[in-house]
Amino acid sequence: MILFLIRRFATMAVTLAIISALVFFIIKLPPGDFLTNQIAELRAQGEAASAAKAEFLIKQYGLDLPVWQQYLVWIGLWPGPNGFSGLLQGDWGWSFEFDRPVTEVVGDALWLTLLINLVLVIFVHVVSIPIAIYSATRQYSLGDYVATFIGYIGLATPSFLLALILLYYTNRWFGVSIGGLYDARFSGQPWTWEKFGSLLSHLVVPTLVIGLGGTAAMIRRMRANLLDELGKQYYVTAKAKGLPPTRALLKYPFRMSLNPFIADIGNLLPHLVSGSVLVSLVLSLPTVGPILLAALKSQDQFLAGFILMFVAALTVVGMLISDLLLAWLDPRIRLGGR
Amino acid sequence: MQAPLLSVRDLTVEIRSDLGTLRAVDGVSFDIPLGKTVAVVGESGSGKSVTAQAVMRILPKVAKIAGGSILFDDPADRHPPLDIAALPAESERMRQLRGGRIAMIFQEPMTSLSPLHTVGDQVTEALKVHADVSDAEAKERAIEVFGRVGFPDPKRALVTYPFELSGGLRQRAMIAMALITRPALLIADEPTTALDVTTQAQILDLIRELQADTGMSVLLITHDLGVVANMADEVVVMYRGRMMETGARDDIFRRPQHPYLKALMRAVPRFAMKPGERLTPLREVKSAAVAARVPAGPPPNRNVLEVRGVSKSFRLRSGWFSGNTRMVHAVKDVSLAVPCGRTLGLVGESGCGKTTLSKIISRALDPDTGSVLFDGGSGPREVHRLRGEALTAYRRSVQFVFQDPFSSLNPRMTVYELLTEPLRIHKVGTPDERFERAKALLDMVGLDRRSLRRYPHSFSGGQRQRLGIARALALEPQVLLCDEPVSALDVSVQAQVLNLLKDLQAALGLSYLFVSHNLAVVDYVADTIAVMCRGYIVEQAPAAALFRDPRHPYTKALLAAVPDPDLDHPLDFAKLRSGRFSEPASWPEPFRLAGEDAGVMVAVSPDHYVRMMAPALEAAA
């Protein structure tokens, strides 16, 4: 077990190293990133002060160094102007566009993103699993057809469109503006119960909007998985034992059908951060998605690099978690081949 | 006379399908007396399993009981007999019976247990549903039952997962699950079909013993007349949902009345068959091409295939969390020869290495040591050294017939595409010639020429296997490697396919390597038989000699374990009880092979070889 973990951590480190290199070089690849533009602008002004500032920026961010050295400085494996100070040391760099440290730019948004998406994940599972079980056990019944129909609509509706529609109608009917994560008057205020309540009420619509597609997809997949398992012999055995139907269902086929979803956690985690960019834009949710979009557009290299690395790290960690969970839940994986 | 435990009267089960309603069980009546075994025999689709499911009330959703009654008279309960057919399937009363008073075991011990829960969990659960017991009591009962059904370490069984057990032990776990509630009736649906013969004998023995102990009745569903002859007190023969014949075992076997039953009995390969005797399939296939062709002259006297000292081992990575690897020696120092125009039978139980060997011969795998020689008429050549043209030619000469006719044919290809694919791959002939060839192939295997445009799913199992044979014959090979070609087929169809293979051999001068676990089948088709165990060939002899005079303890055990549909040759359960026949280290001297000792093949009479330990040979010399 310990050996396994050591091996896994080693491969995780290598994976992340490769991803970081790719991220860095790809961001650097097209000419005209934010900083070079800024320097060019300063130089074009032709004033001594501007030129000096340009020189300072070049020195500060090591633009005169070869790209591989810049990369190593960013990672924190090469002494930059401030000594070893990179991702490994917890220094996430400077956002040129916002002219603030990346930590500050991303900080709050990161937590809110995680919150929204956590609520989302819970919503999707809580809603879709019972519906899926219902429609799988009553295949081709009226209820199944209704669930299937709603599922297809959910899959086919673009979520940003739904967001726009809801935005308009909630405002018209209830007079509530659902944009943002809390009422505008709370922005910049310390957290109070009132602000928290406002946050909760603002969470409802985004959760519905973003969650609909996921719920629909989950119902379809869960239903298919469960239908496969319902035909298996061990379920017949369970029924032949005289188990009450619900217990037989939940203990055997349902548990088996969960496996693919656990294996999917690795994909779920990064989705928590980078998913739902469009909806966040439409509903002006202060999440990481729009920030990432902006950073990529303006080639704000450290900001974009950090968010991408963060997503990559989440993916890798998610994979590890799902592997460990699978091993814990499925004895065949844990003990197989012993 | 005592009232029967279960009394089925005019039971009718209907299955709804797109094509309308089908009567899967049509007016079946029989009684199961207390403490007796009733066997329901029939081919697949005869409705025997549906009958069992109806008694348990676990019919699939599309099926429903359309008429008749199933009276269950529980001796432990003073109430008048209960009509199971009239109870709602999910009622409390029915659930108490199901698993409590009537328990069931299934064919596939691999899939009948949940892989995610321990055996102990699944077994104790059966008890906890039906009796008010604490966890500790349930565990105690489970340990007791595990011991009773022959688990070597009953305590450990509690925390073992099904995939950690062998097929035999899994079936024992199933039996434990069924018996822990001490049911009055045990329904066994093909309980041993998926097991090896020696394991089958042990499981059958166990069921008999338990029956004697507990006085329960058994409803045995099977297609194997051999099993019936050894287990049943009374027999019900079913065909297409109807009862063909019913009666006491002796009447059924000694004085069969119904033509279907008589035909069924003639279709099963038996050991006592006279040399040259032909099986009579229920539906004879006319192979036009075979009948027309002049029998090939006596085959040339050479070995078309020769395997010399082949060994193959695999490295297994054990477990996810450990880096340990383990070597498995699948094939150990095997030497065999397939004479031209003859059949070499290779017999062994699952995991003995017979499939690995056939893969090595077909060059799907490379051996670690040893060589395979192929002689297509131009002198022997080493198969694993063949390259380019010569290799292509070899692949054309050696073709495979697979076990499962359902998964070995691509469901998206028509028969025409399936049969001509080998020709297209090897760029043989023009499209017109291929079309002619495909028609000729269908004639050869006795299928209608008009089937060319049909897809595999519209054929029955036996017809599909004939398609598989036709495909293998497309390139006019010299050797067919038949890997369990009939073990997935019904007995009635088995005879058909076996006869076809024999006819084709006579007409086309083919050589076969026939791999099977069924001794009677191998006896019927093979000229020479090699018995394989744990990667070793332990005995090799002409078919007649092997069955008349088996020398090796493993061969003897195999022979003794095959249930013969002949009442005068009952299984000797006592002899089979001792257990570990497939353990080379526990064979008696001079056959024992311990550790690295691979032993040597010793000729006990001309053409009859037995593997013995090396020192024994020295002592004899």
Side-chain angles (χ1 to χ4, degrees), chain B residues 36-39 191 200-201 203-209 211 218 220 225-234 249 571 573:
Chain B
K36 299 284 185 195
T37 301
V38 174
Q200 157 165 302
I203 295 289
L204 293 179
D205 183 29
L206 177 66
I207 295 177
R208 277 165 56 117
E209 249 182 64
Q211 187 176 18
V218 175
L220 179 70
L225 287 171
V227 171
V228 177
N230 281 286
M231 296 290 290
D233 297 301
E234 282 173 36
R249 175 180 62 170
L571 280 181
F573 286 114

Side-chain angles (χ1 to χ4, degrees), chain A residues 174-231:
Chain A
F174 308 113
V176 211
S177 159
I178 57 166
L181 263 190
Y182 31 75
D183 222 67
R185 66 197 156 96
F186 292 113
S187 68
Q189 301 284 315
W191 283 97
T192 56
W193 280 114
E194 225 180 324
K195 184 172 173 182
F196 188 67
S198 163
L199 174 73
L200 283 189
S201 64
H202 275 79
L203 269 180
V204 174
V205 171
T207 309
L208 271 178
V209 169
I210 308 175
L212 185 68
T215 310
M218 177 104 176
I219 291 175
R220 298 305 301 162
R221 276 197 298 164
M222 186 81 195
R223 177 179 175 272
N225 280 350
L226 201 55
L227 277 177
D228 273 354
E229 297 300 329
L230 286 180

Side-chain angles (χ1 to χ4, degrees), chain B residues 399-475:
Chain B
Q399 292 284 313
F400 241 104
V401 177
F402 297 97
Q403 171 173 7
D404 185 353
F406 295 90
S407 59
S408 59
L409 298 175
N410 185 340
R412 286 177 188 79
M413 286 166 89
T414 62
V415 169
Y416 170 72
E417 287 170 314
L418 283 167
L419 293 185
T420 53
E421 191 184 28
L423 300 171
R424 266 180 286 132
I425 291 171
H426 287 272
K427 302 193 180 65
V428 180
T430 62
D432 283 346
E433 284 166 9
R434 287 181 205 153
F435 184 62
E436 286 308 314
R437 179 81 185 133
K439 285 199 285 192
L441 286 169
L442 284 183
D443 285 346
M444 236 183 257
V445 296
L447 286 172
D448 194 333
R449 286 181 168 211
R450 282 168 297 182
S451 343
L452 276 179
R453 292 192 184 286
R454 286 161 63 189
Y455 286 89
H457 68 82
S458 63
F459 293 89
S460 70
Q463 288 172 327
R464 281 187 216 205
Q465 196 57 303
R466 282 189 270 150
L467 282 178
I469 294 171
R471 179 176 60 181
L473 291 176
L475 291 165

Side-chain angles (χ1 to χ4, degrees), chain B residues 36-193:
Chain B
K36 299 284 185 195
T37 301
V38 174
V40 179
V41 200
E43 302 169 65
S44 50
S46 63
K48 55 191 195 308
S49 289
V50 178
T51 309
Q53 287 167 357
V55 173
M56 285 293 272
R57 296 303 303 274
I58 50 171
L59 286 167
K61 262 184 210 155
V62 289
K64 71 168 203 300
I65 297 180
S69 64
I70 304 168
L71 289 182
F72 182 63
D73 187 7
D74 195 342
D77 168 68
R78 262 164 237 260
H79 297 294
L82 188 70
D83 185 4
I84 291 177
L87 280 176
E90 283 309 327
S91 62
E92 194 57 41
R93 189 79 195 89
M94 191 59 229
R95 223 163 34 231
Q96 277 168 13
L97 288 181
R98 192 190 299 144
R101 302 305 299 156
I102 309 176
M104 188 160 177
I105 56 179
F106 300 92
Q107 173 174 0
E108 284 285 333
M110 299 288 257
T111 52
S112 302
L113 292 164
S114 158
L116 298 184
H117 302 84
T118 59
V119 175
D121 178 13
Q122 298 181 59
V123 170
T124 50
E125 182 183 40
L127 181 63
K128 282 192 239 165
V129 173
H130 295 285
D132 186 21
V133 290
S134 68
D135 277 3
E137 282 167 331
K139 272 191 186 140
E140 215 162 279
R141 276 278 287 281
I143 291 174
E144 190 190 310
V145 178
F146 281 136
R148 186 64 200 83
V149 298
F151 266 81
D153 184 352
K155 267 217 184 83
R156 228 190 92 68
L158 278 179
V159 292
T160 310
Y161 288 96
F163 64 90
E164 296 177 282
L165 300 173
S166 65
L169 274 180
R170 273 181 218 175
Q171 197 58 297
R172 281 169 200 266
M174 277 299 291
I175 295 176
M177 190 192 309
L179 290 184
I180 194 166
T181 54
R182 303 194 177 121
L185 173 64
L186 176 71
I187 302 179
D189 188 356
E190 304 265 10
T192 56
T193 310

Side-chain angles (χ1 to χ4, degrees), chain B residues 196-341:
Chain B
D196 281 324
V197 270
T198 50
T199 320
Q200 157 165 302
Q202 287 166 0
I203 295 289
L204 293 179
D205 183 29
L206 177 66
I207 295 177
R208 277 165 56 117
E209 249 182 64
L210 292 168
Q211 187 176 18
D213 278 9
T214 60
M216 66 182 176
S217 307
V218 175
L219 175 61
L220 179 70
I221 314 278
T222 182
H223 69 272
D224 189 340
L225 287 171
V227 171
V228 177
N230 281 286
M231 296 290 290
D233 297 301
E234 282 173 36
V235 183
V236 178
V237 183
M238 282 182 75
Y239 177 65
R240 300 231 171 144
R242 291 192 195 188
M243 225 162 53
M244 293 290 119
E245 190 160 352
T246 176
R249 175 180 62 170
D250 279 36
D251 291 338
I252 291 285
F253 279 91
R254 298 203 195 278
R255 291 173 290 280
Q257 302 293 325
H258 198 280
Y260 173 73
L261 179 59
K262 287 183 189 167
L264 199 60
M265 287 186 161
R266 277 197 305 270
V268 185
R270 298 170 307 271
F271 288 138
M273 288 174 77
K274 292 178 247 356
E277 186 185 341
R278 222 176 130 80
L279 290 176
T280 328
L282 277 95
R283 293 167 285 273
E284 185 75 72
V285 186
K286 298 280 179 294
S287 171
V290 169
R293 205 175 277 228
V294 199
N301 192 15
R302 62 182 158 83
N303 290 334
V304 64
L305 264 180
E306 210 176 320
V307 178
R308 283 195 191 152
V310 162
S311 296
K312 175 81 189 169
S313 38
F314 294 101
R315 188 183 293 278
L316 284 190
R317 220 181 108 202
S318 65
W320 237 44
F321 295 128
S322 69
N324 299 345
T325 53
R326 196 158 55 97
M327 294 295 280
V328 174
H329 302 277
V331 174
K332 286 179 255 189
D333 188 27
V334 165
S335 299
L336 287 174
V338 183
C340 208

Side-chain angles (χ1 to χ4, degrees), chain A residues 18-33:
Chain A
I18 295 171
I19 295 175
S20 67
L22 282 176
V23 162
F24 190 82
F25 291 115
I26 289 174
I27 292 178
K28 280 295 232 183
L29 216 49
D33 59 73

